[in-house]
């Protein structure tokens, strides 16, 4: 392996830069040249390849976003787009590719592997933590901490006015951001796509617990089956008009910011391991960290979306939110 490429794809997440840095520095250590591909799969198709050296990744470990930019590529979904991408990789003499992205990016790599034999190794870069084969994806820890910081502030104002707040966080298909940050902020309820949301039960709970606390925070994952925070808040408001109800949508603030220390360490370990995996002729695998150990999971298993929620955690949420 003389030359490898690295790129970021799909939604950006804090810690991607730390991962890019680790890939570049590890490759250089092993006398492997590195190029960065700008703008995800779009850049692979449009020949946006740039050389990377040790200096190009200096002073980025603490920065959110991605220096390589990212994109969701419509063209890569077509055979014509992927053929152009394959030609460019060959033209640049790329012997292996490291993709930092989420499940869509790995599905793309898997499809590509049927048409092009350049090996791909993945690092899980997504705030959603919705990949099988890793305890934490790059971006998840920072996103949770961002939510916690924001909701702590909302709690201050909610407490002052005796308000009921519905706070919507990211998570179209996975409720892990809502679940973990909800536990951390002592939310009164956590509504996520993985479990059926019963709004009547929520109303009963809020009614019976009305006198327990002066403020209440309900964390809602955007993909919850009962609708978004606004829709649920409307129903609750109609049933419990004496509550002073407010909605706050946290939005894209959850994707940004300086990565936490844990994020930087995990992202560095994954980038380091990804280069080693390519050197060991591994392909179509995602690097993960499970029980503190590096683990390789085939892309097709990593994207399965069957993240089981820990039932003990769910029970704990119920008991602690009384
Ligand atoms: P996030 O979890 O943050 O959304 P992601 O990697 O899942 O990140 P996607 O937009 O789903 O983000 O996927 C990134 C890109 O991967 C897509 O824009 C598309 O170009 C490519 N891709 C996804 N699925 C396929 C597929 N089945 N075939 C080819 N390319 C694909």
């Amino acid at each position: 392996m003389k030359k490898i490429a690295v790129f970021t794809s799909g939604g950006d997440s804090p810690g991607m830069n730390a991962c890019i840095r680790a890939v570049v520095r590890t490759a250089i250590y092993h006398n492997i040249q590195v190029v960065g591909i700008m703008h995800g799969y779009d850049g692979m198709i449009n020949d946006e390849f740039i050389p990377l050296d040790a200096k190009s990744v200096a002073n980025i470990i603490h920065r959110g976003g991605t220096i390589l930019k990212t994109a969701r590529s419509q063209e890569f979904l077509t055979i014509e787009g992927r053929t152009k991408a394959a030609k460019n990789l060959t033209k640049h003499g790329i012997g292996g590719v490291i993709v930092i992205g989420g499940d869509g990016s790995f599905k793309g790599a898997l499809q590509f592997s049927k048409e092009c034999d350049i090996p791909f190794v993945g690092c899980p870069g997504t705030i959603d933590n919705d990949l099988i084969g890793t305890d934490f994806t790059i971006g998840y820890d920072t996103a949770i901490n961002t939510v916690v910081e924001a909701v702590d502030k909302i709690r201050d104002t909610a407490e002052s006015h005796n308000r009921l707040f519905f706070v919507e966080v990211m998570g179209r298909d996975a409720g892990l951001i809502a679940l973990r940050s909800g536990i951390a902020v002592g939310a009164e309820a956590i509504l996520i796509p993985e479990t059926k949301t019963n709004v009547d039960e929520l109303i009963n709970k809020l009614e019976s617990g009305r006198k327990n606390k002066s403020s209440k925070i309900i964390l809602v994952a955007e993909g919850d089956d009962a609708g978004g925070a606004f829709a649920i808040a409307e129903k609750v408001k109609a049933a419990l008009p004496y509550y002073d109800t407010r909605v706050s949508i946290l939005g894209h603030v959850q994707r940004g910011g300086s990565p936490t220390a844990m994020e930087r360490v995990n992202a560095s370990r994954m980038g380091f391991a990804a280069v080693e995996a390519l050197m060991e002729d591994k392909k179509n695998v995602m690097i993960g960290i499970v029980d503190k150990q590096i683990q390789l999971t085939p892309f097709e298993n990593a994207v399965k979306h069957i993240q089981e929620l820990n039932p003990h955690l769910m029970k704990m949420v119920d008991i602690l939110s009384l």
Side-chain angles (χ1 to χ4, degrees):
M1 185 99 26
K2 298 239 170 10
K3 196 176 187 183
I4 63 169
V6 59
F7 72 107
T8 47
S9 170
D12 65 317
S13 63
M16 281 183 160
N17 281 330
C19 189
I20 295 166
R21 171 183 174 272
V23 166
V24 173
R25 298 258 166 106
T26 308
I28 289 170
Y29 173 79
H30 291 291
N31 292 316
I32 299 170
Q33 268 180 278
V34 199
V35 296
I37 303 171
M38 301 298 293
H39 301 113
Y41 287 117
D42 272 346
M44 201 181 286
I45 293 167
N46 299 326
D47 201 7
E48 296 180 71
F49 289 54
I50 54 160
L52 294 173
D53 59 17
K55 208 171 159 202
S56 23
V57 292
N59 205 21
I60 64 166
I61 196 167
H62 61 295
R63 282 167 55 192
T66 157
I67 59 161
L68 296 177
K69 314 280 181 173
T70 186
R72 300 191 196 273
S73 170
Q74 285 304 315
E75 214 181 337
F76 198 76
L77 295 171
T78 67
I79 180 69
E80 292 79 14
R82 293 194 298 274
T83 305
K84 282 190 210 164
K87 277 189 185 150
N88 285 330
L89 289 175
T90 308
K91 183 175 95 182
H92 289 277
I94 304 299
V97 181
I98 293 172
V99 47
I100 306 167
D103 63 328
S105 302
F106 298 161
K107 282 179 195 158
L110 211 47
Q111 178 60 41
F112 195 58
S113 71
K114 294 175 189 151
E115 300 147 12
C116 169
D117 57 10
I118 298 171
F120 273 55
V121 165
C123 291
T126 168
I127 61 169
D128 295 331
N129 206 32
D130 58 349
L131 289 159
I132 308 296
T134 191
D135 291 339
F136 297 97
T137 56
I138 299 168
Y140 177 55
D141 188 59
T142 307
I144 290 169
N145 279 286
T146 301
V147 171
V148 168
E149 200 184 327
V151 178
D152 283 348
K153 288 174 182 167
I154 290 172
R155 176 75 81 176
D156 287 346
T157 176
E159 188 71 14
S160 305
H161 288 275
N162 294 344
R163 278 179 179 152
L164 162 64
F165 261 89
F166 287 83
V167 181
E168 187 177 291
V169 298
M170 283 186 170
R172 276 192 306 265
D173 307 305
L176 287 168
I177 293 178
L179 180 61
R180 226 174 162 83
S181 55
I183 293 170
V185 298
E188 277 61 40
I190 302 170
L191 312 180
I192 54 178
E194 290 88 341
T195 57
K196 179 107 195 76
T197 293
N198 185 329
V199 179
D200 291 333
E201 258 175 34
L202 175 68
I203 290 168
N204 289 341
K205 187 175 177 181
L206 288 168
E207 196 168 21
S208 59
R210 193 185 163 197
K211 301 217 162 54
N212 291 358
K213 296 177 191 165
S214 44
S215 69
K216 293 200 177 352
I217 304 274
I218 315 291
L219 259 268
V220 186
E222 62 182 327
D224 181 69
D225 53 293
F230 274 111
I232 301 169
E234 274 309 310
K235 286 182 198 154
V236 171
K237 220 175 187 172
L240 308 173
Y242 44 81
Y243 266 116
D244 188 1
T245 306
R246 294 287 190 277
V247 176
S248 180
I249 313 279
L250 293 191
H252 283 84
V253 71
Q254 295 162 83
R255 286 198 181 278
S258 182
T260 61
M262 175 169 146
E263 206 83 86
R264 297 177 201 191
V265 173
N266 284 347
S268 299
R269 289 186 68 191
M270 289 176 183
F272 181 83
V275 176
E276 289 190 333
L278 277 180
M279 290 169 67
E280 289 162 11
D281 294 327
K282 300 283 193 313
K283 61 176 174 181
N284 289 334
V285 288
M286 181 196 82
I287 307 292
I289 298 178
V290 176
D291 291 336
K292 298 183 185 158
Q293 302 299 319
I294 290 290
Q295 182 174 297
L296 273 56
T297 303
F299 282 150
E300 59 263 44
N301 296 344
V303 300
K304 273 192 178 143
H305 266 299
I306 39 161
Q307 194 93 291
E308 292 275 321
L309 290 185
N310 180 340
H312 297 291
L313 216 56
M314 301 304 290
K315 189 175 174 200
M316 185 189 83
V317 168
D318 248 6
I319 292 171
L320 299 190
S321 64
L322 287 177

